[in-house]
Amino acid sequence: MEPQYQLIIIGSGPAGMTSAMYASRAEVKTLILENAAPGGKMVKTHLVENYPAFESITGVDLSMKMHNHSLAFGAVYQYGDVVNIIKENGVFSVHTADGSVYTSKAVIAATGTIERKIGLDQEDELVGKGVSYCAVCDGAFFKNREVIVVGGGDSAIDESLYLTQFVSKVTVVMRRDVFRADPGTVARAKENPKIHFVYNHTPQEIMTEGGLVSGLKVKSTETSEEKIVKGAALFPYIGADPATKYLKSLSVLDEWGYSQVNDYMETKITGLYTVGDMNQKHLRQIVTATADGAIAAQQAIDYIIKN
Ligand code: NAP
């Protein structure tokens, strides 16, 4: 039986959207399946200042521009939470959580990563009551309040800067005194009078008052002394893990769940490509994700024509 689509793209972050744009422009019948808003991590980012041609653009605006571009040549965009992929007789069946099955000749997986949780007691229950993994979504609820960010990477420092437009104070808790974030961004954060750093402390316990977050108990990695950092909100930005569970049965992942591809974004399953942050790679940026997306789409187009 002929598959429904020539290409299915799973995920519509910058990598998936670029693949969709390239493939549909080459007149490949393309379906994009996405289980959240288009843009992926980008749509939850306040400002993007390192994507060429845009000196400064909000993550939401760049996401919408890419989304519109990804659909400009006829790709179909649909909600779908992919739970499994099976390849049989040269055709991929892509299964979604609601029981639907979509078939295609080739698949490009572009599902990125999921924010890591600290693993503290009540961390899940307090989401919406002060714990948030998205400053862009929830920062404005904490106008003139003190808030806490955990982490020293680009996400933590970028989002701390974003939060300063609403809140009275951001305390950034870091387990070391070494940043992973871009030095320029760190310098801006250090100059900002609303941002304070607590180095060499690990989170121990979320403090609450009346069922809402009121602070974070932290412990010194040097003296083991504990203290409480005040804050009505806790934003953990401690990295992310690949969102790749649905690929487990195909054995294309490393021990941490990242996908292993060659320079052409090919996995060891012919016709299956993976792109963006879910791949084993050195630099996770919007620009590297879009590059992956273009490379994979070109390979998929060649594969579809030949098979
Ligand atoms: P990241 O770079 O991995 O940084 C994670 C931070 O969280 C580190 O400071 C880490 O400390 C800390 N951490 C990890 N586990 C912790 C724990 N259990 N308790 C306390 N702290 C903990 O993660 P990210 O900031 O989410 O960035 C992910 C990727 O996206 C990176 O490649 C980043 O460059 C990229 N990104 C880029 C931009 C940009 O270019 N503007 C923006 C956002 C993200 P240690 O250092 O001690 O491990």
Side-chain angles (χ1 to χ4, degrees):
M1 209 173 69
E2 266 304 292
Q4 298 159 291
Y5 293 91
Q6 289 175 295
L7 175 65
I8 295 177
I9 296 168
I10 307 167
S12 70
M17 291 194 281
T18 305
S19 291
M21 189 257 283
Y22 271 73
S24 53
R25 188 162 175 263
E27 298 188 340
V28 167
K29 192 179 175 196
T30 302
L31 171 69
I32 309 165
L33 292 172
E34 167 61 57
N35 67 0
K41 190 175 165 63
M42 186 166 66
V43 81
K44 296 184 189 172
T45 302
H46 163 46
L47 268 190
V48 176
E49 293 181 320
N50 52 5
Y51 189 68
F54 297 97
E55 278 166 40
S56 180
I57 183 166
T58 68
V60 171
D61 283 349
L62 189 55
S63 298
M64 286 308 117
K65 280 181 190 294
M66 277 196 202
H67 177 59
N68 292 337
H69 201 170
S70 74
L71 302 184
F73 304 105
V76 176
Y77 178 87
Q78 198 169 309
Y79 176 82
D81 186 14
V82 174
V83 291
N84 198 15
I85 302 177
I86 296 166
K87 186 181 180 193
E88 267 171 353
N89 304 322
V91 173
F92 288 94
S93 306
V94 177
H95 297 247
T96 55
D98 65 0
S100 304
V101 181
Y102 304 90
T103 56
S104 63
K105 199 90 211 150
V107 169
I108 297 177
T111 44
T113 54
I114 303 170
E115 299 86 1
R116 213 173 270 157
K117 295 187 175 176
I118 304 174
L120 297 174
D121 279 354
Q122 296 196 80
E123 192 174 338
D124 285 340
E125 295 96 288
L126 290 168
V127 169
K129 294 172 185 159
V131 172
S132 168
Y133 301 86
C134 178
V136 170
C137 318
D138 299 323
F141 292 125
F142 300 97
K143 219 168 179 198
N144 301 323
R145 312 286 302 275
E146 296 186 15
V147 301
I148 303 158
V149 168
V150 179
D154 279 314
S155 300
I157 308 306
D158 280 353
E159 300 314 312
S160 295
L161 282 163
Y162 169 72
L163 285 165
T164 58
Q165 67 187 299
F166 309 108
V167 305
S168 58
K169 177 178 175 184
V170 182
T171 306
V172 181
V173 174
M174 289 172 53
R175 64 181 176 184
R176 298 189 295 154
D177 57 359
V178 179
F179 291 86
R180 287 182 195 250
D182 171 71
T185 315
V186 173
R188 268 196 289 152
K190 284 186 172 173
E191 277 165 17
N192 191 309
K194 284 190 177 177
I195 300 182
H196 300 252
F197 292 94
V198 173
Y199 299 114
N200 301 316
H201 279 75
T202 54
Q204 299 296 306
E205 187 184 339
I206 305 173
M207 311 311 292
T208 57
E209 272 171 31
L212 301 174
V213 171
S214 61
L216 180 70
K217 188 188 278 179
V218 296
K219 185 177 179 176
S220 164
T221 56
E222 290 160 327
T223 63
S224 293
E225 248 174 72
E226 293 187 332
K227 64 176 179 182
I228 290 172
V229 176
K230 262 177 39 182
L234 172 67
F235 294 93
Y237 277 110
I238 61 163
D241 294 308
T244 52
K245 259 192 216 151
Y246 64 96
L247 283 173
K248 260 191 180 157
S249 63
L250 293 174
S251 304
V252 295
L253 307 175
D254 68 13
E255 59 185 305
W256 297 280
Y258 287 98
S259 176
Q260 296 171 295
V261 292
N262 62 16
D263 288 351
Y264 300 101
M265 305 300 137
E266 292 168 322
T267 65
K268 64 183 180 191
I269 310 275
T270 317
L272 174 66
Y273 309 84
T274 69
V275 290
D277 283 5
M278 63 177 280
N279 281 357
Q280 260 186 3
K281 68 193 306 191
H282 175 61
L283 185 62
R284 293 193 169 82
Q285 295 281 301
I286 299 169
V287 74
T288 58
T290 56
D292 288 359
I295 293 165
Q298 201 52 53
Q299 289 305 116
I301 294 163
D302 290 348
Y303 173 76
I304 289 161
I305 290 169
K306 287 180 191 145
N307 288 274

